[in-house]
Amino acid sequence: MHRDDMIRQLRHRSAAGQPWDIVVIGGGATGMGVAVDAAARGFSVALVESHDFGKGTSSRSTKLVHGGVRYLEQGNVPLVMSALKERGLLRQNAPHLVHDLAFVVPNYSWWEAPFYGIGLKLYDLLAGKYGFGPSKLLSREETLARLPALEPEGLLGGVVYYDGQFDDARLLIHLAMTAADHGATVVNYCPAAALLKDEEGYVNGVVARDGETGEEFTLHARVVVNATGVFTDAVRRLADPGIEPMMVTSQGIHLVFHREFLAGDTALMVPRTSDGRVLFVIPWHGHTVAGTTDTPLDAPTLEPHALDEEIEFILDTASRYLTRPPTRSDVLAVYVGLRPLVKGEGKTSTLSRDHVIHVDSSGLLTITGGKWTTYRHMAEDTVDHAITLARLRDEPCPTKSLPIHGYRDTPADLTKEADPLAVYGSDAEAIRELAADPDLAKRLHPDLPYIAAEVVWAAREEMARTVEDALARRTRALFLNAGAAIAMAEPAAKLLARELGRDDAWIAAQVKTFRDLAHQYKVE
Ligand SMILES: Cc1cc2nc3c(=O)[nH]c(=O)nc-3n(C[C@H](O)[C@H](O)[C@H](O)COP(=O)(O)OP(=O)(O)OC[C@H]3O[C@@H](n4cnc5c(N)ncnc54)[C@H](O)[C@@H]3O)c2cc1C
């Protein structure tokens, strides 16, 4: 997957005035899913992303492939069933990136075991043939054996159930590669600056701008799909400045700690926090991730900030359940994601997580809402609508059994650091070959497993253009340990500069930009 080739393809069609079947705006899970689906059906597809693939919400999730236990509590059975099915399909199609994870709901009151026990049996039942393993009640001893760091005082027992875990940004990059493998043109750092319309006022293309050179491309399209998450309304306004907004935004933060805070390979699920939400504490890439919050926000930004009260809330809730209460100085990284929620009544935490397909009077097709787990189903639904809207030929959707780039039938285990290259699936071998060069086999920081060869691979094959791309989304350094990532910036910049043909001034600018950004991922 090479950016120069992608730009050439945009330029070529643009100059020839040749329309694409589908142009997708937005390179998160939703847009990339659409690109994969449409390309696999044989349509010509271009996807433009204004920043890097996954810069938005899709790299900032809780990393769960799940049906959503809490939606069950809200009585949304169809949503849970559909997500549980997608959970099973995703594990089947990307076993190198999705694995089963055991979650324990600890019980400190007598009523919790029967209450959560029955609820989670229903969860098992709804998964049907896509089940990940039966839930069961645990004794106090069994609970502590699974969660050695759990607060023992007052503990009566627990309930264990199973869901999926993944690496969101890595899956996104592999979806981009899947789309490219099937002939899609996917371009990062290429914002959609304007929409084109025909003489009747229907949207029939996109003006995209190469963020690196300023070159503009006129992308004619039979249908334009708006998959811009929390920026949905901004893109809809490009077609009609007077539209009624359809989105609201809420932010969720996660704190990352050393692995010892949780210990073991089992996740902790707190079913009801003091604000009535769910909190997860999960083992991920050899660290502990705790989240999340739900704070309504007036306007979306690409790099949202964690609020002090959100940080305190997670520390406080986690402290009630862990023998070693984490403090601010234990936080290795904090990351913040924005939920694209479709407007409705009530609190943001109770708004539906169903996806919504919306067609404006301009013909712009918007797909939004949903969640990572259901991206495939969302894409299928979107391309089905695109076929009708743009009168494209009927092609069946093949993605239920379409292997995702890197597919390898050895299940990943993201709880540990055991084999850091496992997430690359079938690409791991090529990275190991690069690492035959002793300089490229070196770790970039003693506290993280990432080696220099991964940065070289990211630049050569995964369209990484900046230090941030390499350290936030090709590796997950920034999300795991912001301090270590800051120290990795300079060696990473030098490796990238060599691959991308950049000079010393570029290296210095990259290091500064990345360090400024990474400070926001630290808790002082
Ligand atoms: C805190 C939190 C935790 C979550 N945890 C989970 C979880 O564990 N499991 C799960 O299944 N789901 C989870 N979700 C939901 C899931 O992460 C989101 O539903 C999903 O990532 C949304 O993807 P998206 O592609 O719609 O949006 P985004 O990932 O935000 O992508 C939209 C993209 O559009 C781009 N864009 C905007 N304007 C333009 C333009 N003019 N031109 C080109 N590109 C543009 C942006 O740069 C961005 O990259 C979580 C969400 C949050 C907020």
Side-chain angles (χ1 to χ4, degrees):
M1 191 168 70
H2 303 125
R3 192 169 184 278
D4 291 349
D5 294 340
M6 301 294 179
I7 289 286
R8 257 194 297 278
Q9 287 160 24
L10 287 191
R11 189 181 295 131
H12 174 74
R13 273 207 188 227
S14 187
Q18 198 185 351
W20 301 84
D21 289 325
I22 302 182
V23 169
V24 183
I25 308 175
T30 306
M32 208 54 89
V34 173
V36 168
D37 183 305
R41 293 198 210 202
F43 294 121
S44 58
V45 192
L47 177 147
V48 290
E49 160 57 49
S50 58
H51 196 274
D52 184 30
F53 305 131
K55 166 73 179 179
T57 305
S58 298
S59 58
R60 300 155 185 267
S61 77
T62 312
K63 328 299 181 199
L64 301 181
V65 180
H66 62 160
V69 177
R70 86 191 165 92
Y71 310 127
L72 203 56
E73 218 188 326
Q74 294 169 1
N76 198 340
V77 170
L79 176 70
V80 175
M81 275 189 89
S82 149
L84 286 170
K85 179 177 172 188
E86 291 303 319
R87 179 186 75 165
L89 293 177
L90 192 49
R91 185 181 59 172
Q92 166 199 295
N93 297 332
H96 63 298
L97 280 176
V98 179
H99 69 94
D100 309 2
L101 183 63
F103 290 74
V104 166
V105 182
N107 303 150
Y108 290 92
S109 301
W110 66 267
W111 56 269
E112 287 177 311
F115 183 75
Y116 295 118
I118 292 169
L120 291 165
K121 276 285 165 232
L122 177 61
Y123 196 62
D124 295 347
L125 187 81
L126 295 178
K129 65 178 182 176
Y130 299 101
F132 272 26
S135 62
K136 77 178 180 96
L137 297 181
L138 301 177
S139 67
R140 185 178 190 278
E141 289 65 36
E142 286 168 328
T143 304
L144 287 171
R146 282 179 178 269
L147 285 176
L150 188 66
E151 175 57 58
E153 205 184 312
L155 181 72
L156 302 174
V159 188
V160 62
Y161 74 97
Y162 296 87
D163 243 326
Q165 177 175 47
F166 75 136
D167 182 328
D168 48 12
R170 174 63 25 211
L171 178 59
L172 186 69
I173 299 304
H174 281 182
L175 283 178
M177 293 169 100
T178 309
D181 293 344
H182 287 273
T185 299
V186 294
V187 195
N188 52 1
Y189 297 101
C190 193
L195 295 174
L196 302 168
K197 287 187 179 172
D198 65 16
E199 52 290 349
E200 287 167 76
Y202 291 114
V203 170
N204 68 351
V206 171
V207 177
R209 187 175 300 129
D210 183 345
E212 294 189 352
T213 62
E215 184 177 356
E216 275 196 358
F217 307 101
T218 304
L219 311 176
H220 295 285
R222 299 204 158 83
V223 56
V224 175
V225 174
N226 171 18
T228 50
V230 292
F231 302 101
T232 292
D233 287 331
V235 171
R236 289 174 65 226
R237 261 181 234 115
L238 293 178
D240 177 358
I243 49 118
E244 180 68 24
M246 60 184 280
M247 305 299 295
V248 285
T249 304
S250 87
Q251 83 171 21
I253 77 154
H254 294 84
L255 301 181
V256 182
F257 309 103
H258 276 298
R259 182 177 174 78
E260 305 86 68
F261 280 90
L262 187 60
D265 300 333
T266 301
L268 163 66
M269 197 271 225
V270 177
R272 190 166 285 277
T273 57
S274 57
D275 70 346
R277 304 196 67 256
V278 167
L279 187 93
F280 292 101
V281 186
I282 60 170
W284 191 64
H285 283 314
H287 290 69
T288 297
V289 178
T292 180
T293 51
D294 198 322
T295 312
L297 213 68
D298 287 340
T301 55
L302 257 186
E303 205 49 77
H305 292 262
L307 303 177
D308 244 5
E309 56 261 35
E310 292 181 297
I311 296 171
E312 292 304 326
F313 173 78
I314 292 184
L315 289 175
D316 183 51
T317 310
S319 296
R320 291 181 198 189
Y321 290 87
L322 301 176
T323 42
R324 185 176 152 199
T327 62
R328 289 178 86 90
S329 61
D330 295 314
V331 179
L332 298 174
V334 52
Y335 64 86
V336 190
L338 300 184
R339 289 181 191 82
L341 298 169
V342 180
K343 271 191 169 175
E345 300 292 320
K347 288 203 317 185
T348 49
S349 59
T350 59
L351 289 182
S352 171
R353 264 47 170 181
D354 278 328
H355 70 264
V356 168
I357 291 185
H358 176 88
V359 184
D360 279 307
S361 55
S362 63
L364 178 68
L365 178 59
T366 288
I367 166 74
T368 193
K371 54 185 179 157
W372 236 122
T373 307
T374 56
Y375 85 92
R376 191 213 63 81
H377 177 53
M378 293 165 68
E380 178 177 356
D381 208 1
T382 308
V383 177
D384 285 347
H385 277 77
I387 287 174
T388 305
L389 200 64
R391 299 164 195 257
L392 300 174
R393 63 187 187 278
D394 272 319
E395 293 286 352
C397 169
T399 56
K400 282 197 183 81
S401 56
L402 188 81
I404 289 168
H405 185 98
Y407 176 97
R408 196 165 58 178
D409 201 7
T410 22
D413 184 352
L414 302 175
T415 59
K416 300 191 181 65
E417 240 188 54
D419 175 7
L421 297 186
V423 290
Y424 292 93
S426 57
D427 285 342
E429 218 36 63
I431 301 171
R432 271 191 205 100
E433 276 168 28
L434 284 176
D437 173 347
D439 281 343
L440 296 186
K442 283 187 194 142
R443 279 188 180 214
L444 295 174
H445 192 279
D447 292 348
L448 291 172
Y450 303 118
I451 57 172
E454 291 177 76
V455 176
V456 171
W457 175 260
R460 281 189 197 167
E461 303 296 337
E462 297 182 342
M463 286 172 68
R465 310 297 293 176
T466 67
V467 169
E468 184 197 334
D469 300 348
L471 299 185
R473 291 171 293 275
R474 304 306 183 281
T475 70
R476 304 313 307 273
L478 180 62
F479 284 72
L480 293 174
N481 187 331
I486 287 171
M488 291 160 76
E490 192 167 340
K494 286 181 176 160
L495 288 161
L496 287 170
R498 207 169 60 195
E499 291 302 317
L500 303 173
R502 309 285 198 233
D503 59 14
D504 287 351
W506 184 87
I507 294 175
Q510 278 291 307
V511 172
K512 180 174 181 331
T513 307
F514 180 76
R515 287 186 177 159
D516 288 348
L517 172 81
H519 275 289
Q520 294 177 39
Y521 286 67
K522 291 180 85 175
V523 171
E524 316 281 20

